[in-house]
Amino acid sequence: RARADGHGVFRMFEADMDRKLRERRALEKDLRSALANGELFLHYQPQANVSGQIVGFEALLRWSHKQRGMIPPAEFIPLAEESGLIVPIGEWVLREACREAASWPNTIHIAVNLSPVQFRQGDLPGIVHSILLQSALDPTRLELEITESVLFDDLSRASSILRRLKSLGVKIALDDFGTGYSSLSYLQSFPFDKIKIDKSFVWMLQQNPQSAAIIRAIVGLGRDLSMHIVAEGVETIDQLSFLTKEGCSALQGYLIGRPYPIELYAKEVGKRAPTSSVASRRADGNS
Ligand code: C2E
Ligand code: MG
Ligand code: MG
Ligand code: MG
């Protein structure tokens, strides 16, 4: 039983820390083999223009752990970053997403998230270049999403890498905009193609009039800097109509579509859906 003088409480706290640390280590060890074991895969979340047409998909990494089931990215991405595993995993994500997108109509782009660690280690522009060649994907259809933290590390190094990436023809998007520290100053350090308004602002729209003002300001800023504005986390019709009225050029969120295996978006990407071929032939009435 814990003693009332605080030592016991501290010991319990220590034991808890110990357990958490051991769990992290175990999970990290499993992540090390997850790629080779085929436990990692991608979901694709659609992005629509203001007319409701699908213009792109964001690739989102998923981990189906053999024993523990699905582990959310918020849990395993930080682990992958701390251990450096995000470098080979991130390369796999890029290769897989580009290979997949190469088979879609060329009006549909693919967005891939990059970790700051991928900017610190290895030759990111070289890797992207060789993946583009291998997949034969038109570079203008690849959009790389970064967060402010990339620029936070080492601004001159990061912007030189970004410039090399841009010279390949790919697009660069600034993700989770508005959640970092000095968003505005970063906008002049690099010509981003896109700004993604963080979902927290979209979700606050109903309750909080300030978030409407913030969104308006971001859209205005984007317009003046010739950057497209995408809103993420769009879940309701009210949010959608506000965001389109204010001038967002694209929308992403559960209202448009959830992240799913690409087969579920077979119609949008011109693929045959593996399970619905009979159903669609029936619907067409030509069987
Ligand atoms: P993100 O890049 O900002 O991706 C958007 C996240 O918001 C995704 O979460 C998506 O499922 C979620 N989302 C989109 N629309 C809605 C909505 O309407 N409602 C709600 N409740 N959620 C919505 P997810 O898939 O859990 O990913 C979380 C984060 O993990 C991503 O945030 C990204 O930072 C990171 N991540 C995911 N895949 C990768 C990857 O391949 N590489 C790296 N470096 N990071 C990744
Ligand atoms: Mg993203
Ligand atoms: Mg985001
Ligand atoms: Mg993010």
Side-chain angles (χ1 to χ4, degrees):
R1 171 191 284 254
R3 277 164 46 196
D5 62 10
H7 289 283
V9 173
F10 182 69
R11 242 168 252 128
M12 285 198 304
F13 176 70
E14 255 186 341
D16 194 47
M17 292 274 288
D18 232 47
R19 188 179 47 76
K20 286 204 174 111
L21 206 66
R22 273 200 309 275
E23 267 175 23
R24 275 180 83 89
R25 292 252 167 78
L27 208 56
E28 188 187 307
K29 188 170 147 283
D30 294 347
L31 188 57
R32 217 165 270 282
S33 48
L35 193 54
N37 291 347
E39 294 174 21
L40 299 182
F41 57 98
L42 298 180
H43 274 176
Y44 293 84
Q45 185 177 32
Q47 301 173 337
N49 65 15
V50 292
S51 319
Q53 283 152 335
I54 303 294
V55 291
F57 285 89
E58 178 174 2
L60 293 160
L61 187 57
R62 297 291 180 258
W63 181 12
S64 173
H65 188 288
K66 289 255 153 55
Q67 284 86 39
R68 301 178 196 221
M70 295 296 292
I71 314 241
E75 223 171 287
F76 74 82
I77 298 278
L79 272 184
E81 290 180 327
E82 285 160 30
S83 59
L85 282 169
I86 196 68
V87 176
I89 290 174
E91 188 175 334
W92 176 82
V93 171
L94 264 168
R95 182 167 289 115
E96 179 68 14
C98 289
R99 188 188 55 75
E100 176 56 50
S103 72
W104 304 344
N106 59 18
T107 49
I108 300 182
H109 70 246
I110 177 74
V112 177
N113 293 286
L114 293 180
S115 160
V117 180
Q118 291 173 276
F119 280 74
R120 273 182 242 138
Q121 293 174 32
D123 172 27
L124 185 58
I127 289 165
V128 171
H129 183 57
S130 81
I131 288 173
L132 284 168
L133 290 177
Q134 272 171 32
S135 63
L137 181 75
D138 175 355
T140 61
R141 290 177 57 207
L142 175 61
E143 200 171 286
L144 300 173
E145 297 195 356
I146 67 155
T147 53
E148 271 171 27
S149 53
V150 165
L151 303 160
F152 204 69
D153 273 352
D154 179 346
L155 184 59
S156 70
R157 184 180 147 78
S159 47
S160 115
I161 295 174
L162 284 172
R163 266 165 241 283
R164 284 173 61 208
L165 287 170
K166 274 223 75 156
S167 72
L168 299 173
V170 305
K171 303 276 196 295
I172 310 287
L174 190 53
D175 203 356
D176 303 340
F177 187 75
T179 57
Y181 293 97
S182 37
S183 313
L184 296 185
S185 69
Y186 288 132
L187 288 181
Q188 54 179 340
S189 62
F190 186 77
F192 293 96
D193 297 286
K194 247 179 212 181
I195 295 173
K196 294 186 82 174
I197 301 178
D198 191 69
K199 46 191 178 310
S200 58
F201 297 111
V202 175
W203 292 345
M204 280 187 293
L205 267 175
Q206 277 93 337
Q207 312 94 280
N208 190 337
Q210 276 94 327
S211 77
I214 290 170
I215 288 173
R216 255 185 222 115
I218 298 175
V219 173
L221 204 60
R223 194 182 298 123
D224 294 346
L225 297 171
S226 314
M227 298 175 185
H228 292 284
I229 305 292
V230 185
E232 60 176 25
V234 184
E235 293 184 346
T236 70
I237 299 280
D238 285 347
Q239 292 165 352
L240 177 103
S241 45
F242 175 83
L243 293 161
T244 47
K245 188 185 81 209
E246 290 305 326
C248 287
S249 44
L251 306 141
Q252 183 179 345
Y254 290 178
L255 185 69
I256 317 297
R258 288 183 180 246
Y260 282 134
I262 197 62
E263 287 71 30
L264 271 83
Y265 292 107
K267 189 160 53 68
E268 286 78 4
V269 297
K271 269 198 164 173
R272 192 198 296 271
T275 53
S276 65
S277 56
V278 176
S280 60
R281 247 182 285 131
R282 272 205 205 114
D284 291 346
N286 58 4
S287 68

